[in-house]
Amino acid sequence: MTRASFGFLTLTPAALAALLLAGHAPQATAQEQVIKIGHSGPLSGPNAFAGRDNENGVRLALEELNAKKVVVEGKPLKFELVSEDDQCDARTGVSVAQKLVDSGVKFVLGPYCSGVAIPASRVYSEGGALVSTVGTNPKVTEGGYKNLFRIIASDTQIGSNMAVYAAQVLKVKQVAVIDDRTAFGQGVADQFTKEAKAQGLTVVGQEFTTDKSTDFLSILTSLKGKQPQAIFFGGYAPQAAPMARQMKQLGLTAKLLGGDTLCSPEVGKLGGDAVNDTVVCAQGGTMLDKVANGPAFKAKYKARFKQDADAYAASYYDQMMFIADAMQKANSTQPAKVGAQMVASSYQGVAGTYAYDEKGNLKQAPITVLTFRNAAPVPLASY
């Protein structure tokens, strides 16, 4: 049998062929450029449903992008998801940010909670990462950090719109306000209160709770005596649902108003029939059922994950697609160049058109108002 000899190493033809093939294999994969995409959100705890939904939106986009083989600088990109649980906790979120930056992640989708997004944004900025968050507190984009994008409406828009809706559509005169003292809850409640007064509504009471509470009987009993026609709650779904149940228990017939977090199907799952035609909420984005690609997105999401899309899956999906589009147009995967391209352009996504100002806020952020019927969110109108 003929053998090839390399100094002290002698190989059979079969072994030589295997060696040559092995030598070519890394060359093929070396042409791919791996891009790590980070996700920071609550993957455990009461808001895990939202974190998983957001993560799924990113995952769906990455799977489609990898199937299409996006090419930048002559190399096909391979996107890899690196998802971390920030627990909607500021300290944990900052640790997650540092971990993602240290591992070379330059593009991050999240955080979900404003209380995490505000402190974590400094870490991401120092690490040179481009961040896309649904944190709605106005302070999220007031830190002066480049490459920080808010991919939905802010508290200013959401809280204000709910106050206008309460005054002009629901025709209420007296409202009460409860907030959970988180950056998100307090921020959106403050904006509601400010606009409610501007609309001529009387704020008959203001109460406070926490994002861990589930017993609201005391504060609701106090408010009942003041006869509000609507109560605005600045907080999250795991508190809004029992609040609605306890309002029904007390015979408190006021509407329960809120921001985007109250629009989650989770409110219906936890609140049952107590939320029907009682909870009214405002969510960033348009009604998916009413936009061209909305029904198709909902169908493919359900086919892939065996559940319905929640509040922001489409927004996370859209932003990831915008990032990939900007990479191609800038012919670069450097966050600074990609971010500059995004600010200079726009992208038509499933949930709307994405165009950002210099601070990273959407130039136009549509709002959809929803209520619940049969314990499921039902859109009423978009503005």
Side-chain angles (χ1 to χ4, degrees):
M1 183 181 289
T2 304
R3 294 174 182 268
S5 179
F6 299 87
F8 63 85
L9 180 64
T10 302
L11 298 174
T12 65
L16 178 60
L19 180 63
L20 291 173
L21 283 172
H24 282 289
Q27 214 166 4
T29 56
Q31 295 303 312
E32 278 189 339
Q33 186 177 358
V34 175
I35 306 295
K36 294 180 180 179
I37 303 296
H39 167 258
S40 171
L43 303 180
S44 62
N47 285 298
F49 71 92
R52 292 293 180 193
D53 181 66
N54 300 340
E55 179 189 75
N56 286 344
V58 181
R59 191 184 304 279
L60 189 60
L62 297 187
E63 289 173 356
E64 291 183 14
L65 290 169
N66 284 335
K68 287 196 298 188
K69 294 294 182 187
V70 175
V71 176
V72 173
E73 295 180 298
K75 296 180 180 179
L77 304 185
K78 182 181 180 182
F79 295 99
E80 292 184 354
L81 180 61
V82 183
S83 189
E84 296 288 343
D85 180 11
D86 64 31
Q87 302 172 27
C88 264
D89 174 75
R91 183 174 296 180
T92 305
V94 168
S95 297
V96 162
Q98 194 63 60
K99 181 179 179 180
L100 289 173
V101 165
D102 289 346
S103 65
V105 173
K106 294 298 183 182
F107 298 90
V108 178
L109 280 294
Y112 170 71
C113 294
S114 294
V116 176
I118 293 169
S121 59
R122 177 184 59 80
V123 179
Y124 289 124
S125 178
E126 290 174 355
L130 185 153
V131 179
S132 304
T133 179
V134 291
T136 54
N137 189 294
K139 292 179 182 177
V140 169
T141 55
E142 291 173 359
Y145 300 121
K146 291 290 184 182
N147 280 350
L148 176 66
F149 298 94
R150 191 203 321 272
I151 64 179
I152 59 167
S154 71
D155 287 344
T156 304
Q157 295 158 312
I158 291 172
S160 297
N161 270 274
M162 276 313 305
V164 172
Y165 190 84
Q168 298 184 12
V169 180
L170 297 179
K171 305 292 185 183
V172 302
K173 300 296 183 186
Q174 297 192 154
V175 296
V177 179
I178 305 171
D179 82 68
D180 66 359
R181 300 282 87 182
T182 64
F184 161 70
Q186 187 173 355
V188 73
D190 286 349
Q191 293 299 327
F192 173 86
T193 303
K194 181 180 177 181
E195 185 60 32
K197 290 177 179 177
Q199 291 289 322
L201 301 183
T202 302
V203 180
V204 296
Q206 289 186 273
E207 298 284 349
F208 310 104
T209 183
T210 74
D211 60 345
K212 306 292 188 296
S213 299
T214 55
D215 183 354
F216 309 102
L217 288 172
S218 177
I219 59 177
L220 290 173
T221 299
S222 173
L223 290 178
K224 184 180 179 181
K226 298 173 182 178
Q227 299 181 320
Q229 295 162 298
I231 298 172
F232 184 89
F233 174 54
Y236 293 90
Q239 283 66 52
M243 188 177 292
R245 289 201 311 269
Q246 289 161 36
M247 286 171 63
K248 183 177 181 180
Q249 179 183 336
L250 291 171
L252 184 50
T253 58
K255 299 287 188 183
L256 181 60
L257 313 181
D260 52 317
T261 50
L262 270 65
C263 294
S264 168
E266 194 74 4
V267 171
K269 291 177 187 175
L270 298 175
D273 63 2
V275 306
N276 292 336
D277 292 312
T278 294
V279 173
V280 181
C281 57
Q283 177 180 307
T286 53
M287 294 183 279
L288 288 183
D289 289 329
K290 302 295 184 183
V291 294
N293 297 319
F297 174 83
K298 290 173 68 176
K300 70 181 176 182
Y301 182 100
K302 189 161 188 175
R304 173 64 179 85
F305 301 110
K306 312 306 177 192
Q307 62 187 45
D308 291 324
D310 207 298
Y312 291 124
S315 299
Y316 274 73
Y317 171 90
D318 285 344
Q319 182 72 353
M320 187 60 239
M321 289 300 194
F322 190 6
I323 291 169
D325 180 71
M327 286 177 176
Q328 288 179 289
K329 288 178 178 174
N331 197 33
S332 175
T333 57
Q334 296 179 28
K337 291 183 178 180
V338 175
Q341 176 63 41
M342 292 171 73
V343 172
S345 60
S346 64
Y347 180 79
Q348 180 60 53
V350 174
T353 300
Y354 297 77
Y356 297 101
D357 62 22
E358 291 296 328
K359 286 188 174 182
N361 294 310
L362 286 171
K363 291 179 180 178
Q364 288 187 316
I367 300 285
T368 296
V369 176
L370 303 94
T371 190
F372 282 76
R373 293 188 184 133
N374 298 317
V378 176
L380 296 173
S382 286
Y383 299 94

